[in-house]
PDB file of all heavy atoms in Angstrom:
ATOM      1  N   PRO A 144      70.213 -64.585 -64.300  1.00 90.00           N
ATOM      2  CA  PRO A 144      69.126 -63.715 -63.687  1.00 90.00           C
ATOM      3  C   PRO A 144      68.774 -64.133 -62.285  1.00 90.00           C
ATOM      4  O   PRO A 144      68.656 -63.328 -61.340  1.00 90.00           O
ATOM      5  CB  PRO A 144      67.927 -63.970 -64.645  1.00 90.00           C
ATOM      6  CG  PRO A 144      68.596 -64.333 -65.851  1.00 90.00           C
ATOM      7  CD  PRO A 144      69.822 -65.041 -65.601  1.00 90.00           C
ATOM      8  N   SER A 145      68.683 -65.482 -61.960  1.00 92.00           N
ATOM      9  CA  SER A 145      68.206 -65.872 -60.614  1.00 92.00           C
ATOM     10  C   SER A 145      69.312 -65.550 -59.581  1.00 92.00           C
ATOM     11  O   SER A 145      69.061 -65.066 -58.511  1.00 92.00           O
ATOM     12  CB  SER A 145      67.861 -67.331 -60.571  1.00 92.00           C
ATOM     13  OG  SER A 145      68.751 -68.061 -61.337  1.00 92.00           O
ATOM     14  N   GLU A 448      64.186 -56.461 -63.338  1.00 89.00           N
ATOM     15  CA  GLU A 448      64.571 -56.963 -64.588  1.00 89.00           C
ATOM     16  C   GLU A 448      65.018 -58.440 -64.433  1.00 89.00           C
ATOM     17  O   GLU A 448      64.590 -59.353 -65.199  1.00 89.00           O
ATOM     18  CB  GLU A 448      65.741 -56.113 -65.130  1.00 89.00           C
ATOM     19  CG  GLU A 448      66.093 -56.377 -66.523  1.00 89.00           C
ATOM     20  CD  GLU A 448      67.447 -55.604 -66.796  1.00 89.00           C
ATOM     21  OE1 GLU A 448      67.640 -54.452 -66.261  1.00 89.00           O
ATOM     22  OE2 GLU A 448      68.182 -56.092 -67.574  1.00 89.00           O
ATOM     23  N   ASN A 449      65.815 -58.662 -63.398  1.00 91.00           N
ATOM     24  CA  ASN A 449      66.355 -60.021 -63.241  1.00 91.00           C
ATOM     25  C   ASN A 449      65.274 -60.986 -62.756  1.00 91.00           C
ATOM     26  O   ASN A 449      65.267 -62.192 -63.146  1.00 91.00           O
ATOM     27  CB  ASN A 449      67.571 -60.092 -62.302  1.00 91.00           C
ATOM     28  CG  ASN A 449      68.812 -59.560 -63.047  1.00 91.00           C
ATOM     29  OD1 ASN A 449      69.197 -60.218 -64.055  1.00 91.00           O
ATOM     30  ND2 ASN A 449      69.340 -58.460 -62.602  1.00 91.00           N
ATOM     31  N   LEU A 450      64.400 -60.501 -61.914  1.00 93.00           N
ATOM     32  CA  LEU A 450      63.283 -61.387 -61.431  1.00 93.00           C
ATOM     33  C   LEU A 450      62.449 -61.858 -62.654  1.00 93.00           C
ATOM     34  O   LEU A 450      62.138 -63.032 -62.798  1.00 93.00           O
ATOM     35  CB  LEU A 450      62.397 -60.641 -60.436  1.00 93.00           C
ATOM     36  CG  LEU A 450      61.107 -61.269 -60.098  1.00 93.00           C
ATOM     37  CD1 LEU A 450      61.357 -62.482 -59.266  1.00 93.00           C
ATOM     38  CD2 LEU A 450      60.126 -60.312 -59.268  1.00 93.00           C
ATOM     39  N   ARG A 451      62.042 -60.877 -63.452  1.00 91.00           N
ATOM     40  CA  ARG A 451      61.170 -61.228 -64.541  1.00 91.00           C
ATOM     41  C   ARG A 451      61.829 -62.115 -65.610  1.00 91.00           C
ATOM     42  O   ARG A 451      61.217 -62.946 -66.185  1.00 91.00           O
ATOM     43  CB  ARG A 451      60.573 -59.966 -65.176  1.00 91.00           C
ATOM     44  CG  ARG A 451      59.698 -59.284 -64.112  1.00 91.00           C
ATOM     45  CD  ARG A 451      59.088 -58.024 -64.527  1.00 91.00           C
ATOM     46  NE  ARG A 451      58.221 -58.184 -65.719  1.00 91.00           N
ATOM     47  CZ  ARG A 451      57.691 -57.195 -66.366  1.00 91.00           C
ATOM     48  NH1 ARG A 451      57.896 -55.989 -65.956  1.00 91.00           N
ATOM     49  NH2 ARG A 451      57.010 -57.366 -67.481  1.00 91.00           N
ATOM     50  N   ARG A 452      63.152 -61.851 -65.763  1.00 93.00           N
ATOM     51  CA  ARG A 452      63.879 -62.606 -66.763  1.00 93.00           C
ATOM     52  C   ARG A 452      64.007 -64.067 -66.181  1.00 93.00           C
ATOM     53  O   ARG A 452      63.824 -65.038 -66.932  1.00 93.00           O
ATOM     54  CB  ARG A 452      65.244 -61.989 -67.053  1.00 93.00           C
ATOM     55  CG  ARG A 452      65.944 -62.599 -68.149  1.00 93.00           C
ATOM     56  CD  ARG A 452      67.277 -61.826 -68.479  1.00 93.00           C
ATOM     57  NE  ARG A 452      66.923 -60.457 -68.950  1.00 93.00           N
ATOM     58  CZ  ARG A 452      67.477 -59.386 -68.551  1.00 93.00           C
ATOM     59  NH1 ARG A 452      68.518 -59.448 -67.823  1.00 93.00           N
ATOM     60  NH2 ARG A 452      67.127 -58.207 -69.071  1.00 93.00           N
ATOM     61  N   ALA A 453      64.289 -64.194 -64.892  1.00 94.00           N
ATOM     62  CA  ALA A 453      64.383 -65.506 -64.281  1.00 94.00           C
ATOM     63  C   ALA A 453      63.007 -66.247 -64.429  1.00 94.00           C
ATOM     64  O   ALA A 453      62.989 -67.498 -64.736  1.00 94.00           O
ATOM     65  CB  ALA A 453      64.755 -65.437 -62.793  1.00 94.00           C
ATOM     66  N   MET A 454      61.916 -65.521 -64.279  1.00 93.00           N
ATOM     67  CA  MET A 454      60.644 -66.151 -64.345  1.00 93.00           C
ATOM     68  C   MET A 454      60.367 -66.583 -65.774  1.00 93.00           C
ATOM     69  O   MET A 454      59.844 -67.600 -66.058  1.00 93.00           O
ATOM     70  CB  MET A 454      59.549 -65.099 -63.957  1.00 93.00           C
ATOM     71  CG  MET A 454      59.416 -64.814 -62.519  1.00 93.00           C
ATOM     72  SD  MET A 454      58.865 -66.166 -61.470  1.00 93.00           S
ATOM     73  CE  MET A 454      60.380 -66.843 -60.896  1.00 93.00           C
ATOM     74  N   LEU A 455      60.803 -65.734 -66.766  1.00 91.00           N
ATOM     75  CA  LEU A 455      60.607 -66.028 -68.220  1.00 91.00           C
ATOM     76  C   LEU A 455      61.328 -67.377 -68.481  1.00 91.00           C
ATOM     77  O   LEU A 455      60.824 -68.286 -69.127  1.00 91.00           O
ATOM     78  CB  LEU A 455      61.129 -64.896 -69.130  1.00 91.00           C
ATOM     79  CG  LEU A 455      60.287 -63.867 -69.667  1.00 91.00           C
ATOM     80  CD1 LEU A 455      61.080 -62.935 -70.442  1.00 91.00           C
ATOM     81  CD2 LEU A 455      59.096 -64.459 -70.441  1.00 91.00           C
ATOM     82  N   LEU A 456      62.625 -67.410 -68.131  1.00 93.00           N
ATOM     83  CA  LEU A 456      63.481 -68.525 -68.417  1.00 93.00           C
ATOM     84  C   LEU A 456      63.029 -69.807 -67.711  1.00 93.00           C
ATOM     85  O   LEU A 456      63.208 -70.890 -68.249  1.00 93.00           O
ATOM     86  CB  LEU A 456      64.940 -68.295 -68.046  1.00 93.00           C
ATOM     87  CG  LEU A 456      65.621 -67.176 -68.989  1.00 93.00           C
ATOM     88  CD1 LEU A 456      66.958 -66.800 -68.396  1.00 93.00           C
ATOM     89  CD2 LEU A 456      65.765 -67.690 -70.311  1.00 93.00           C
ATOM     90  N   SER A 457      62.424 -69.644 -66.501  1.00 91.00           N
ATOM     91  CA  SER A 457      62.038 -70.839 -65.796  1.00 91.00           C
ATOM     92  C   SER A 457      60.549 -71.189 -66.089  1.00 91.00           C
ATOM     93  O   SER A 457      60.019 -72.124 -65.477  1.00 91.00           O
ATOM     94  CB  SER A 457      62.229 -70.686 -64.293  1.00 91.00           C
ATOM     95  OG  SER A 457      61.306 -69.736 -63.817  1.00 91.00           O
ATOM     96  N   ARG A 458      59.996 -70.464 -66.962  1.00 91.00           N
ATOM     97  CA  ARG A 458      58.584 -70.624 -67.284  1.00 91.00           C
ATOM     98  C   ARG A 458      57.673 -70.465 -66.054  1.00 91.00           C
ATOM     99  O   ARG A 458      56.792 -71.230 -65.766  1.00 91.00           O
ATOM    100  CB  ARG A 458      58.309 -72.012 -67.920  1.00 91.00           C
ATOM    101  CG  ARG A 458      59.082 -72.329 -69.210  1.00 91.00           C
ATOM    102  CD  ARG A 458      58.663 -71.324 -70.299  1.00 91.00           C
ATOM    103  NE  ARG A 458      59.400 -71.660 -71.587  1.00 91.00           N
ATOM    104  CZ  ARG A 458      60.605 -71.194 -71.947  1.00 91.00           C
ATOM    105  NH1 ARG A 458      61.218 -70.377 -71.122  1.00 91.00           N
ATOM    106  NH2 ARG A 458      61.110 -71.459 -73.152  1.00 91.00           N
ATOM    107  N   GLY A 459      58.011 -69.433 -65.299  1.00 88.00           N
ATOM    108  CA  GLY A 459      57.169 -69.048 -64.138  1.00 88.00           C
ATOM    109  C   GLY A 459      57.343 -69.943 -62.849  1.00 88.00           C
ATOM    110  O   GLY A 459      56.522 -69.958 -62.045  1.00 88.00           O
ATOM    111  N   VAL A 463      63.021 -71.653 -58.758  1.00 89.00           N
ATOM    112  CA  VAL A 463      64.289 -71.579 -59.488  1.00 89.00           C
ATOM    113  C   VAL A 463      65.300 -70.848 -58.566  1.00 89.00           C
ATOM    114  O   VAL A 463      66.558 -71.195 -58.636  1.00 89.00           O
ATOM    115  CB  VAL A 463      64.165 -70.789 -60.814  1.00 89.00           C
ATOM    116  CG1 VAL A 463      63.757 -69.370 -60.611  1.00 89.00           C
ATOM    117  CG2 VAL A 463      65.436 -70.888 -61.678  1.00 89.00           C
ATOM    118  N   PHE A 464      64.867 -69.973 -57.711  1.00 91.00           N
ATOM    119  CA  PHE A 464      65.864 -69.226 -56.835  1.00 91.00           C
ATOM    120  C   PHE A 464      66.408 -70.109 -55.752  1.00 91.00           C
ATOM    121  O   PHE A 464      67.395 -69.782 -55.147  1.00 91.00           O
ATOM    122  CB  PHE A 464      65.133 -68.011 -56.206  1.00 91.00           C
ATOM    123  CG  PHE A 464      64.596 -67.072 -57.178  1.00 91.00           C
ATOM    124  CD1 PHE A 464      63.246 -66.919 -57.409  1.00 91.00           C
ATOM    125  CD2 PHE A 464      65.502 -66.306 -57.915  1.00 91.00           C
ATOM    126  CE1 PHE A 464      62.750 -66.006 -58.322  1.00 91.00           C
ATOM    127  CE2 PHE A 464      65.024 -65.429 -58.835  1.00 91.00           C
ATOM    128  CZ  PHE A 464      63.630 -65.258 -59.064  1.00 91.00           C
TER     129      PHE A 464
END
Side-chain angles (χ1 to χ4, degrees):
Chain A
S145 38
E448 193 189 325
N449 283 298
L450 169 68
R451 295 179 59 187
R452 193 170 294 139
M454 289 290 99
L455 265 181
L456 289 173
S457 70
R458 304 294 184 272
V463 66
F464 299 109

